[in-house]
Amino acid sequence: MTAAAPLDSVRKTATRLLGSSSRNSYDPGLDIDWDAPVELDMKFMPFERTSLYGTGLWDRMTEQQRIELSRQELASVASTGLWFELVLVEMLARWAYHQDPQDPRTQYALTEIGDETRHILMFAKAIARLGAPTYRPRPLVRQLARIYKATATGPALFAPVLVAEEITDRLQREMVNDESVHPLVRMVNRIHVVEEARHVRFAREEVARQMRDIGPIAKVISNLASAVVASFVATALISPDVYAEVGLDPAEATRAARGNPNYHETRRWMAEKIIKFLDEQGMVTWYSRPIYSLAHLV
């Protein structure tokens, strides 16, 4: 099991991250050429990472439909990321409210709020430039998120955030290095990957420290809550509404995606690193693992 960082160590990490943020942050409004034409004949994400790749329905789709599916699914992933970062901003502000503003951890949390605010604007602008709609999680998920962001504490605050950030991070890193993916998508992902690396480092150390300090009942609650929230977020990444935009029958496409072994494997690949970390912290247990498994995260 990975050793938990003591509070002083986490504060030193936060101080280093504050310095890194001041030196290596982007302004998407200036660092991305938003006026460049968006060619619609390129892939917007690797085909093999789309929800229908490998199905009989995929085999019947035209090349243009496959490109369009990649565009709409990329917009759906960005929309879900945007939504969850709004949730994160509210949770970090609530967490910081109870902390000492002189503590480097508090100051880094406030810095992260600034980063996430820029990311939200960047994702929203990218979706608009792609000419795609903003996809929103289902009403039940949005209502449950209102409860979560108002009540989450300890590892249950930071662990689901890590799952959401790290599963999308792995997909984004692959797209950054794939020259067949649209350049606008690659640039947006490059900015996000660089800045999210700092957020992940901070959250990982907080989870490790807090899991060391909380009692057994709080651990069970945190483990279950983290698994449920993470699974809802992972499931919401691809909205069923994307299929109608591609010209497919939504019911048929949704069934194909839900039963697609290739897409299940993609989810496990996206979650591989973060699930290993959570397992090391004692958060993937006999009672929480089945929840992650239902969402194809393990």
Side-chain angles (χ1 to χ4, degrees):
M1 180 178 293
T2 301
L7 185 56
D8 284 347
S9 176
V10 179
R11 284 175 173 149
K12 289 178 181 177
T13 296
T15 300
R16 289 196 299 272
L17 294 174
L18 283 166
S20 177
S21 296
S22 66
R23 295 188 301 271
N24 301 305
S25 291
Y26 290 90
D27 182 347
L30 300 176
D31 294 319
I32 296 176
D33 183 3
W34 296 108
D35 294 325
V38 177
E39 302 294 338
L40 299 181
D41 58 353
M42 294 184 68
K43 290 190 295 186
F44 292 85
M45 63 187 298
F47 281 164
E48 61 271 21
R49 301 302 180 194
T50 60
S51 64
L52 295 178
Y53 182 84
T55 65
L57 183 54
W58 176 269
D59 293 338
R60 300 198 305 271
M61 291 167 61
T62 65
E63 184 69 9
Q64 191 55 47
Q65 282 182 310
R66 292 171 178 176
I67 291 173
E68 182 63 13
L69 180 67
S70 75
R71 182 167 72 102
Q72 297 299 334
E73 291 202 357
L74 186 281
S76 181
V77 171
S79 297
T80 303
L82 180 159
W83 162 74
F84 196 72
E85 289 192 340
L86 278 168
V87 172
L88 173 57
V89 163
E90 292 191 48
M91 291 195 299
L92 284 175
R94 179 169 58 82
W95 181 81
Y97 180 84
H98 298 285
Q99 309 302 316
D100 181 353
Q102 295 187 42
D103 190 327
R105 294 158 59 243
T106 310
Q107 294 175 9
Y108 184 72
L110 295 173
T111 300
E112 184 172 336
I113 288 172
D115 290 344
E116 299 294 15
T117 301
R118 293 195 304 276
H119 295 170
I120 290 165
L121 294 172
M122 177 175 69
F123 286 147
K125 198 161 186 175
I127 295 168
R129 288 294 294 133
L130 294 179
T134 300
Y135 292 100
R136 296 172 66 81
R138 294 307 189 213
L140 174 62
V141 176
R142 298 204 303 271
Q143 292 305 316
L144 290 173
R146 294 179 66 183
I147 298 172
Y148 167 63
K149 67 186 179 183
T151 60
T153 59
L157 189 159
F158 287 99
V161 169
L162 272 173
V163 174
E165 290 186 336
E166 293 207 41
I167 61 177
T168 53
D169 179 79
R170 194 159 201 200
L171 178 63
Q172 289 168 343
R173 285 177 184 272
E174 183 177 74
M175 288 191 279
V176 166
N177 295 319
D178 187 342
E179 294 186 357
S180 69
V181 171
H182 198 286
L184 172 62
V185 174
R186 294 176 67 204
M187 186 60 194
V188 167
N189 287 338
R190 182 175 292 110
I191 289 174
H192 197 245
V193 161
V194 169
E195 298 190 338
E196 286 298 315
R198 297 192 291 264
H199 304 172
V200 165
R201 174 68 184 276
F202 177 68
R204 279 189 174 224
E205 292 204 12
E206 280 293 331
V207 167
R209 182 184 66 80
Q210 292 172 10
M211 283 297 291
R212 179 198 61 186
D213 294 339
I214 63 175
I217 295 176
K219 282 185 179 180
V220 172
I221 294 172
S222 290
N223 291 352
L224 286 172
S226 297
V228 169
V229 174
S231 297
F232 270 118
V233 173
T235 303
L237 283 176
I238 304 298
S239 169
D241 295 338
V242 303
Y243 305 122
E245 294 288 335
V246 181
L248 302 173
D249 177 75
E252 179 188 8
T254 299
R255 285 194 302 270
R258 287 177 177 171
N260 184 5
N262 184 77
Y263 186 51
H264 298 166
E265 183 57 37
T266 287
R267 278 200 194 168
R268 287 189 287 269
W269 168 79
M270 291 166 67
E272 183 179 23
K273 291 183 178 180
I274 182 55
I275 291 296
K276 179 181 179 182
F277 169 77
L278 294 181
D279 192 22
E280 290 171 348
Q281 306 312 314
M283 299 192 73
V284 183
T285 62
W286 65 267
Y287 54 85
S288 62
R289 180 177 289 273
I291 301 172
Y292 289 114
S293 182
L294 283 172
H296 304 290
L297 297 176
V298 295

